[in-house]
Amino acid sequence: MTNRRLDEVADAVIRAFPKLSKREQAVSLALYRLLARGQPLPTAALAEETGLSSGKVQDIIEKWRGVYVDPDGALVGYWGLALSPMKHRFRVNEQDLYTWCAWDALFIPPILGIEADVTSECPVSGRAIKLRVTPTGVASAQPSSTVLSFLTPERARIEDDVIQNFCHYVHFFASGTDGAQWVARNPGTFLMSLADACELGRRKNAAQYVAFAATG
């Protein structure tokens, strides 16, 4: 992908993600990190972690898209990270979690500050895909030819349903040939290297969180 094209995609992605105040950033980061422990997260625990009242935390998360709760009201999914089984297994600290799409598995490790072992399956060939993702990028990929598909947020109605309208178009493929077959059948999608996808995640994180802007 050319630098100009990456800039265009990054701009579209950054516009699609919610703008967060400093207080909202603190809640968002804590939500990711507590949810990564692998258990449903009560609002009270998130409030304790952030030093805010439960009512204030509830007010914040009720405004956000991409938040999922269980029947008891505990948080079980948030902007790319899920406790319930999905296509992309995301293992951190010996805990099996899941991501909504392939790209989530690349931008979430920097947020958590830990390595993740990602397991997926090529939707064209059925080949197993295994990645070791660190806070700074992909450390290893099997097969090494792995790429991912992407749909620019401008082509998706993320505000309606981010999983249905965006995540269902973002997959890992065992090779560029496999990915090209799938992209040809899905107008508006394109292929991206793992390195470019990690850079896109770095830019998204830097734009959304002050903590990452300093090192972006």
Side-chain angles (χ1 to χ4, degrees), residues 40-154:
L41 176 61
T43 302
L46 185 56
E48 182 178 358
E49 179 71 14
T50 58
L52 300 173
S53 69
S54 293
K56 185 59 180 180
V57 169
Q58 190 66 38
D59 288 343
I60 288 173
I61 62 177
E62 282 182 351
K63 296 187 301 182
W64 291 345
R65 303 186 302 272
V67 176
Y68 292 86
V69 299
D70 66 12
D72 295 323
L75 298 152
V76 294
Y78 176 64
W79 271 105
L81 189 62
L83 302 185
S84 300
M86 301 185 80
K87 180 177 180 180
H88 312 286
R89 191 178 70 176
F90 185 82
R91 187 170 179 81
V92 294
N93 290 338
E94 301 184 351
Q95 182 69 53
D96 283 339
L97 307 168
Y98 302 86
T99 63
W100 301 356
C101 75
W103 185 53
D104 297 330
L106 303 182
F107 78 74
I108 293 177
I111 292 175
L112 300 179
I114 54 178
E115 294 184 354
D117 289 312
V118 179
T119 305
S120 189
E121 181 180 288
C122 176
V124 172
S125 68
R127 292 177 66 186
I129 294 171
K130 297 182 180 181
L131 308 176
R132 168 63 64 85
V133 185
T134 75
T136 58
V138 176
S140 64
Q142 300 177 5
S144 60
S145 54
T146 298
V147 296
L148 71 157
S149 59
F150 207 80
L151 175 70
T152 58
E154 291 174 340

